[in-house]
Structures are given as C-alpha cells and as structure tokens.
Amino acid sequence: MKIRAKADFYGSIKMDKDETREIENDPVISDLLKMGLIEILDEQEGGESDESE
C-alpha cells in the first residue's frame, strides 16, 4: 500500500513530512494511522475499476 507522512517521525520506520512510500501491511502502520502520523493514498493510478461494467 502507498502511504504519505503527515509529520516527521522516526522509530522502526522513519519518514519526513509529505514523503510517500510503498510499504507492506505492517502492524506499525496501524499504530501510525491511529496516531495520525500517516495517511493511506488511494491506488487508483493505472488500476482497474469495476464501475465500467
């Protein structure tokens, strides 16, 4: 999944504000989401859509 940092943070994962990264689903990600440090970006670029049917 693709994520973007809302603030600088470091620990087992280090990211700077507004940095985007492709990352595996990791337990740390759910903690970062709960703390509001990251957001998950929609992966709509080049993806297939069921709406075309």
Side-chain angles (χ1 to χ4, degrees):
M1 84 178 79
K2 196 168 199 172
I3 60 171
R4 178 175 38 221
K6 292 182 173 183
D8 295 347
F9 61 87
Y10 65 94
S12 59
I13 298 175
K14 178 191 179 298
M15 292 183 76
D16 296 321
K17 184 177 181 183
D18 294 326
E19 179 182 349
T20 59
R21 186 182 294 181
E22 187 73 31
I23 195 158
E24 294 293 321
N25 194 359
D26 188 306
V28 175
I29 299 302
S30 63
D31 291 339
L32 294 170
L33 276 169
K34 289 177 188 173
M35 291 187 287
L37 294 174
I38 63 169
E39 63 183 347
I40 297 176
L41 302 177
D42 292 331
E43 296 186 23
Q44 294 177 357
E45 298 176 24
E48 294 183 20
S49 176
D50 292 335
E51 295 176 13
S52 61
E53 294 182 20

